[in-house]
């Protein structure tokens, strides 16, 4: 299990022996790592940052920014890998980001979903040939920032979860 820590630009991993999180990697020159996904087949992690998506070799911990010329692959929240593409959330939209064979470049983007019901970036997950995702996480609208607390449940909108066939 791997997890991003956005404030200090780090990736942690769960150590099975100690059953605790430990530092896996500090990302130099990249900010706000957030979305994360894994390719077991290729032994790679992919982490979205403000600058784009990083491809991380798990064995030697080397990493490079995936090229995305002319495609905005920055500030992606939820990130999932399916076949030859990522599914990523950016503010009020969900898109597919198609990759070349060696995962070094994003070659095309395709919009999957958007609308006024989206309230902020969110996340989802692939299960079989479907992608399930939260549309309105209420990350911004569900928090009273002045009081630093989550708003009462009766003041929140119903959560919308969608499924798209891939």
């Amino acid at each position: 299990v791997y997890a991003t820590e956005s404030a200090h630009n780090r990736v942690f991993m769960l150590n099975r022996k100690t059953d605790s999180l430990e530092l896996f990697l500090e990302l130099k020159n990249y900010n706000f790592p957030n979305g994360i996904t894994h390719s077991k087949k290729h032994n790679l992690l992919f982490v979205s940052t403000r600058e784009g998506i990083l491809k991380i070799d798990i064995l030697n911990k080397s990493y490079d920014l995936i090229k995305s010329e002319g495609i905005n692959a920055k500030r992606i929240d939820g990130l999932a890998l399916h076949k030859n593409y990522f599914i990523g959330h950016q503010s009020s939209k969900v898109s597919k980001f198609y990759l070349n064979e060696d995962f070094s470049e994003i070659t095309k983007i395709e919009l999957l979903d958007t609308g006024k019901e989206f309230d902020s970036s969110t996340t989802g997950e692939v299960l079989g040939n479907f992608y399930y995702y939260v549309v309105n996480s209420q990350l911004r609208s569900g928090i009273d920032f002045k009081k630093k607390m989550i708003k009462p449940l009766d003041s929140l909108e119903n959560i919308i979860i969608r499924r798209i066939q891939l």
Side-chain angles (χ1 to χ4, degrees):
V1 174
Y2 295 90
T4 55
E5 189 276 306
S6 302
H8 298 99
N9 309 325
R10 300 183 291 188
V11 177
F12 285 85
M13 67 176 257
L14 180 64
N15 182 322
R16 290 186 207 174
K17 293 176 185 172
T18 63
D19 198 30
S20 61
L21 284 177
E22 57 185 49
L23 182 63
F24 174 72
L25 184 63
E26 288 192 56
L27 299 172
K28 308 278 189 230
N29 303 316
Y30 295 98
N31 299 292
F32 204 77
N34 194 358
I36 185 168
T37 191
H38 176 252
S39 171
K40 186 175 184 178
K41 178 180 176 181
H42 300 96
N43 212 24
L44 296 170
L45 278 179
F46 299 95
V47 173
S48 64
T49 68
R50 283 189 180 146
E51 295 77 19
I53 301 172
L54 297 174
K55 177 174 84 169
I56 303 170
D57 183 304
I58 292 174
L59 294 178
N60 64 25
K61 298 183 183 181
S62 64
Y63 54 93
D64 290 303
L65 191 64
I66 296 174
K67 295 176 192 168
S68 60
E69 205 167 308
I71 295 171
N72 179 4
K74 298 175 181 181
R75 297 179 183 241
I76 293 174
D77 196 356
L79 187 67
L81 178 64
H82 185 67
K83 297 183 181 179
N84 67 329
Y85 56 85
F86 295 121
I87 301 172
H89 296 245
Q90 292 171 305
S91 189
S92 62
K93 65 182 180 178
V94 180
S95 302
K96 284 184 180 180
F97 297 84
Y98 289 89
L99 296 154
N100 64 357
E101 285 186 30
D102 67 355
F103 301 120
S104 64
E105 184 175 2
I106 295 170
T107 59
K108 174 172 94 167
I109 187 171
E110 175 186 331
L111 182 65
L112 286 175
D113 197 6
T114 189
K116 62 181 173 41
E117 65 277 17
F118 283 77
D119 70 345
S120 63
S121 288
T122 183
T123 193
E125 194 55 61
V126 174
L127 179 62
N129 278 330
F130 291 95
Y131 184 65
Y132 295 84
Y133 57 102
V134 179
V135 172
N136 60 338
S137 65
Q138 301 179 62
L139 183 63
R140 291 185 188 100
S141 62
I143 298 173
D144 184 331
F145 289 99
K146 290 180 183 175
K147 295 181 182 176
K148 297 182 180 177
M149 61 180 269
I150 296 174
K151 291 180 180 177
L153 289 177
D154 62 358
S155 70
L156 301 177
E157 299 292 322
N158 288 328
I159 297 293
I160 301 169
I161 298 175
R162 289 195 179 142
R163 175 180 84 162
I164 292 177
Q165 187 165 3
L166 302 173

